[in-house]
Amino acid sequence: MNIKLELLLRSVEVASYIPGRIRLRSKKLIGNVKLEQEIKNQLGAFTEIDGVETSTITGSILITYLPEKLRQNLDLLKAEKYIASHVKKK
C-alpha cells in the first residue's frame, strides 16, 4: 500500500463504510486547514476516487467512489479492505 495512504489510514477512525462511500474522522483535522489541504491533495490525486469532502469543524473526511473503478488500483483495494475491517462498531 502507498506509504502516505497507509499513514493516513492509521491516523484516522473509520466512522462508516458502505462500498462507494467512506467516512473517516480525525481529531487532528479539527481547525487544521493545512492538514485538510494535504488530505484533499493526497486523496484527490487518485483518479479512482470521485470525491473528497472534508470538514475542519467536525474532523470529517467523506470519500465517494465507484467500487469497481477503485478496486482496479491495488493500493486502493488494500485500503478499502483495511477500512472495511476497521469500521467503528456501534
Side-chain angles (χ1 to χ4, degrees):
M1 187 182 324
N2 175 305
I3 297 294
K4 285 185 177 183
L5 183 59
E6 187 172 347
L7 289 173
L8 172 66
L9 290 178
R10 293 183 186 279
S11 71
V12 297
E13 175 184 285
V14 181
S16 66
Y17 164 77
I18 300 169
R21 184 180 170 91
I22 297 167
R23 184 171 304 276
L24 307 173
R25 298 227 184 262
S26 170
K27 291 181 180 172
K28 293 179 182 178
L29 181 58
I30 296 172
N32 190 337
V33 177
K34 183 179 179 200
L35 180 58
E36 177 185 41
Q37 197 56 52
E38 286 177 27
I39 290 169
K40 284 183 173 184
N41 288 343
Q42 185 177 340
L43 294 177
F46 290 103
T47 58
E48 298 86 356
I49 294 176
D50 294 325
V52 178
E53 297 175 34
T54 56
S55 171
T56 56
I57 296 169
T58 63
S60 172
I61 305 162
L62 177 64
I63 302 166
T64 53
Y65 61 95
L66 291 173
E68 54 279 357
K69 182 179 175 186
L70 177 124
R71 292 171 184 159
Q72 293 174 5
N73 180 316
L74 291 180
D75 282 336
L76 293 177
L77 175 62
K78 288 178 189 174
E80 183 186 37
K81 287 180 179 181
Y82 175 88
I83 288 166
S85 68
H86 286 80
V87 68
K88 184 179 176 182
K89 305 291 186 238
K90 296 198 182 210

